[in-house]
Amino acid sequence: MTVAIAPSEESAVLRAALDPEVSRDARDFGAYARTGGWGFALKVARSVRPGGQSADETPKVSAKEFAELAGCSPERVMRYYKAWDKAADDGLVPHFEGLAPGQDVELPDADVWHTYYVSRSSATSERGTAISAAAEAEGIRPTKALEVAENPTALRAAILADPSTAQAARHALLDRLKEDPALQAELARDIARTDELKKAVATESRAADRIGYVRQIAEKGQIRTPAGQTLDAPAELRSEAERHLSLLDELEEGEDTGEWASDAYDTMKNMVVETVQADPELRVQERRTKFYSSLQKATKVFEELTFDDADDIYEDDMVQRLEELQQAIGSCIQALRSAAPQR
């Protein structure tokens, strides 16, 4: 006949059959799972005497003596000591003076442990403090960030091998660049010295300029003609710019925008030219603007010329070209005078 065993009885039978050492390990593991490092910190807090307290006043020992008994370094003991001290200041645990060797107290949850415990001495440095603060702002344990910071070779290997790590590093670097002028200059020099990067930057700059041209039309409703006039964009042209801009904005991060930007830019440029050509008055104004622009450029060039050293730079070809230019200017003046309205 089979006898059914209730769950609680079954657990009791199982415990009785287990090796005592196994049971002890399971209990210790359960305690650690619930409290994390707090259980070990308690052992330090109730056995290591606070600073300023002499050996005659308490049965507790120094951190150095406790470390020797534990077979570890005094620095490791002090990290647990400092974690407990911070928690005591926050009211989570009793202060050292209120604890006696062997005394048990209610401990905080394991999840809170890493808020107070720092496993690396580098965290106490100015650099470590900054890294820890940044880690907390990102919602991760400071120990993780400190571990990465102490292993730059490992970080490099992860970036080289894993695209997602490289992407995270890129985002972090861009955020850092906003507030680090020295890093900006260093990165700019690196790019300037690397042909592949220079070409990539030029390509992306060209695409960004073209997207900016389309965005100007879509968002501000203005077009710039080939001659440099700034005009209000016709409704049809602005609508087309908005359509292209929405397509560009929908592109996935990391997707090549070059081809899309070129298509949008070329479409807008052609529509602007068609807009100018379709309006006789606008077409004349465009020619006038272009003429003035060319005239101003030519005037500026000649104003910058000096002839103090004419004896040194003289060549017959120079004089010939100037004479030809003079004739062309004369013809231009004559044509404009002939077209002037009679008064």
Side-chain angles (χ1 to χ4, degrees):
M1 184 173 94
T2 303
V3 179
I5 300 177
S8 59
E9 295 176 351
E10 185 177 359
S11 299
V13 171
L14 179 61
R15 287 197 299 272
L18 286 176
D19 185 291
E21 294 296 328
V22 175
S23 297
R24 184 169 65 93
D25 285 347
R27 287 194 300 272
D28 290 346
F29 180 82
Y32 183 79
R34 289 190 302 275
T35 64
W38 291 115
F40 296 106
L42 173 61
K43 297 179 188 298
V44 172
R46 68 192 183 188
S47 300
V48 174
R49 62 175 178 264
Q53 193 172 40
S54 67
D56 297 333
E57 300 177 50
T58 176
K60 298 181 181 182
V61 298
S62 68
K64 182 178 180 181
E65 291 170 322
F66 188 87
E68 290 175 355
L69 292 170
C72 66
S73 68
E75 289 78 15
R76 184 172 181 81
V77 172
M78 286 305 298
R79 288 198 289 272
Y80 281 84
Y81 183 97
K82 290 175 181 177
W84 188 276
D85 192 29
K86 292 177 184 176
D89 288 341
D90 288 347
L92 292 180
V93 295
H95 285 281
F96 298 106
E97 293 80 2
L99 294 171
Q103 181 181 350
D104 283 324
V105 298
E106 186 176 349
L107 298 173
D109 292 337
D111 293 343
V112 188
W113 171 246
H114 288 288
T115 304
Y116 295 93
Y117 177 74
V118 178
S119 63
R120 286 172 170 76
S121 59
S122 62
T124 60
S125 66
E126 183 178 347
R127 174 173 176 265
T129 301
I131 293 172
S132 297
E136 291 174 0
E138 294 290 336
I140 62 173
R141 293 196 310 235
T143 51
K144 290 288 186 183
L146 288 165
E147 182 178 357
V148 172
E150 290 178 6
N151 292 275
T153 303
L155 176 61
R156 171 183 167 82
I159 292 174
L160 290 174
D162 178 42
S164 61
T165 303
Q167 196 74 287
R170 181 176 70 85
H171 287 303
L173 190 60
L174 288 174
D175 289 341
R176 176 65 185 266
L177 282 170
K178 296 174 184 177
E179 300 178 358
D180 193 335
L183 186 59
Q184 292 174 15
E186 290 175 10
L187 186 59
R189 283 194 294 270
D190 290 338
I191 292 173
R193 295 167 183 169
T194 308
D195 289 340
E196 292 80 3
L197 291 178
K198 280 197 297 185
K199 292 177 182 177
V201 168
T203 299
E204 290 300 321
S205 295
R206 185 165 56 251
D209 289 342
R210 290 179 171 181
I211 293 173
Y213 179 84
V214 178
R215 192 176 299 279
Q216 174 84 4
I217 299 173
E219 296 182 353
K220 296 187 177 181
Q222 292 183 327
I223 60 174
R224 189 172 178 82
T225 69
Q229 294 186 81
T230 299
L231 309 169
D232 291 335
E236 180 185 359
L237 199 154
R238 185 171 185 178
S239 176
E240 183 67 9
E242 291 172 348
R243 185 182 73 82
H244 278 280
L245 190 61
S246 66
L247 292 174
L248 288 165
D249 289 340
E250 288 173 5
L251 294 177
E252 296 291 336
E253 183 179 2
E255 190 173 350
D256 183 16
T257 60
E259 184 176 348
W260 292 86
S262 294
D263 180 59
Y265 178 79
D266 291 342
T267 300
M268 291 298 99
K269 291 287 284 187
N270 290 335
M271 290 187 70
V272 168
V273 171
E274 291 171 1
T275 299
V276 172
Q277 293 300 316
D279 186 331
E281 184 177 344
L282 190 57
R283 189 166 63 245
V284 171
Q285 183 61 34
E286 182 76 352
R287 291 177 61 193
R288 185 181 291 116
T289 302
K290 185 177 180 180
F291 182 88
Y292 267 114
S293 176
S294 298
L295 183 60
Q296 288 173 346
K297 291 176 183 177
T299 302
K300 184 177 180 181
V301 169
F302 273 92
E303 287 176 346
E304 292 175 350
L305 292 177
T306 59
F307 298 95
D308 296 337
D309 55 352
D311 293 340
D312 297 330
I313 66 172
Y314 172 84
E315 288 185 1
D316 291 339
D317 183 59
M318 289 182 182
V319 176
Q320 182 179 349
R321 294 198 175 195
L322 284 171
E323 289 174 344
E324 292 172 353
L325 180 60
Q326 185 180 33
Q327 293 176 2
I329 292 174
S331 299
C332 180
I333 293 173
Q334 185 176 356
L336 288 173
R337 282 176 174 169
S338 299
Q342 299 297 321
R343 295 180 183 178

